[in-house]
Amino acid sequence: MAAHYIHGFSDAERRRLIAQAQMLAAPVFGGLDFSGDHSLLEVGCAVGAELHLIAQRAPHLALTGVDLSALHLRAGQAWLAGHAQIRLLQADARALPFPDDSFDVGMTIWLLEHLADPAAVVRELLRVVKPGGRVILTEVDNHSFGFDPPQPAISAWWDAFNACQAEVGGGDPYIGRRLRSIATCLGAEVLAEEPRLVISSADATRHRTEQLHYLRALLASGAERMLAAGYATAAMQQAMAAAFDAVQAAPGVAFRYGAVRLICRKPRP
Ligand SMILES: C[S@@+](CC[C@H](N)C(=O)[O-])C[C@H]1O[C@@H](n2cnc3c(N)ncnc32)[C@H](O)[C@@H]1O
């Protein structure tokens, strides 16, 4: 995975993940109620940035995070030292090292978009969640990203980013709209399928500058893989950066980016 994973495993990426979790906490966790749960598993947890936020919201939960990357996990262990409520393990989300019916809640956040076989992960989550427990999938729909008026240099970079993620990494950057069919094919009972607007210039609760900074960092996180694999050029990167500068200076330009949150339940026998 390491050579193909679009975001890479740098220190900058770990800082981006922690900032991202904080920036997107309201759309990712808003409306979720964990008061009746005791245990939660997040697969693809990276440094544990989301688990850290869940721990603040639900201190009664025993939290487990799983990731393939030893680098991310090592940084996460250091960062989360002292949080006895959270344990991090190295494992493949497609073959989880837990018995059946182990957790009340299983989650993915920005994971399935990177995998060629996302159903394998959902199948494992449904196995390790208790009967009646929930599986909550929050994943991107990269078709939802856009500016008004259009910003061609940013769109060109975004198209290249998505092509690189799909063709080199083997993932699906538009997976949000497939979550329901994946889960129902595996026998899950869908409780809710919710569009989540994660970035919006119309959102007065968050600063425009911070939201643009987030989008810019997201697009930049693919640069190393995109340039190495021939999906982008330095000129495209400069044009994209200049377009973000121009948008920053033009408060009339609107932007948005959305995701889908699917909440489903493992049927009782
Ligand atoms: C974009 S990050 C999301 C991290 C975290 N969910 C968050 O929101 O901060 C995706 C993570 O999935 C991990 N990953 C990719 N394939 C995996 C697999 N098969 N099993 C476990 N983790 C995997 C990567 O190492 C990376 O840390």
Side-chain angles (χ1 to χ4, degrees):
M1 177 189 66
H4 303 128
Y5 178 58
I6 184 104
H7 302 296
F9 298 94
S10 63
D11 284 341
E13 171 60 7
R14 285 186 274 283
R15 287 193 295 275
R16 189 189 72 82
L17 287 171
I18 291 168
Q20 170 176 262
Q22 286 161 354
M23 167 68 76
L24 306 185
V28 169
F29 296 113
L32 294 180
D33 179 7
F34 298 116
S35 58
D37 302 307
H38 302 287
S39 56
L40 181 149
L41 167 69
E42 187 202 357
V43 294
C45 67
V47 294
E50 310 287 2
L51 292 169
H52 185 244
L53 294 177
I54 297 169
Q56 290 169 346
R57 286 167 168 69
H60 66 284
L61 281 179
L63 299 170
T64 303
V66 156
D67 202 281
L68 263 187
S69 166
L71 275 175
H72 275 348
L73 289 169
R74 199 174 310 131
Q77 304 277 14
W79 184 59
L80 293 170
H83 289 265
Q85 177 190 3
I86 306 174
R87 66 172 169 152
L88 302 182
L89 302 173
Q90 188 175 19
D92 190 328
R94 296 164 295 190
L96 293 170
F98 308 113
D100 296 357
D101 309 341
S102 296
F103 299 93
D104 294 308
V105 182
M107 294 187 112
T108 69
I109 303 169
W110 324 132
L111 166 69
L112 299 180
E113 58 169 309
H114 298 292
L115 300 177
D117 187 6
V121 175
V122 181
R123 185 182 298 112
E124 272 297 81
L125 284 174
L126 287 166
R127 180 182 68 75
V128 303
V129 164
K130 296 173 188 172
R134 286 175 298 166
V135 170
I136 303 173
L137 311 172
T138 305
E139 299 289 339
V140 295
D141 172 6
N142 282 0
H143 284 308
S144 66
F145 176 97
F147 289 78
D148 184 15
Q151 302 296 317
I154 297 176
S155 296
W157 184 268
W158 188 235
D159 291 346
F161 182 108
N162 290 314
C164 182
Q165 182 176 340
E167 293 165 15
V168 179
D172 177 359
Y174 315 105
I175 192 159
R177 56 187 66 188
R178 290 174 49 212
L179 297 177
R180 174 187 279 270
S181 68
I182 291 171
T184 51
C185 283
L186 293 167
E189 177 192 350
V190 173
L191 301 176
E193 182 183 26
E194 304 167 328
R196 307 298 289 179
L197 195 53
V198 297
I199 290 290
S200 169
S201 51
D203 182 352
T205 66
R206 291 182 295 180
H207 289 296
R208 178 183 169 86
T209 306
E210 289 170 8
Q211 294 199 84
L212 284 170
H213 181 78
Y214 163 74
L215 289 179
R216 190 174 183 152
L218 171 66
L219 270 62
S221 71
E224 189 179 333
R225 297 295 187 284
M226 291 163 68
L227 293 167
Y231 281 80
T233 62
M236 284 172 68
Q237 189 173 15
Q238 283 160 12
M240 181 266 289
F244 268 107
D245 287 341
V247 170
Q248 184 59 61
V253 177
F255 51 84
R256 72 192 308 280
Y257 185 31
V260 177
R261 187 169 73 187
L262 190 85
I263 306 175
C264 49
R265 184 158 54 199
K266 175 171 174 173
R268 297 179 195 278

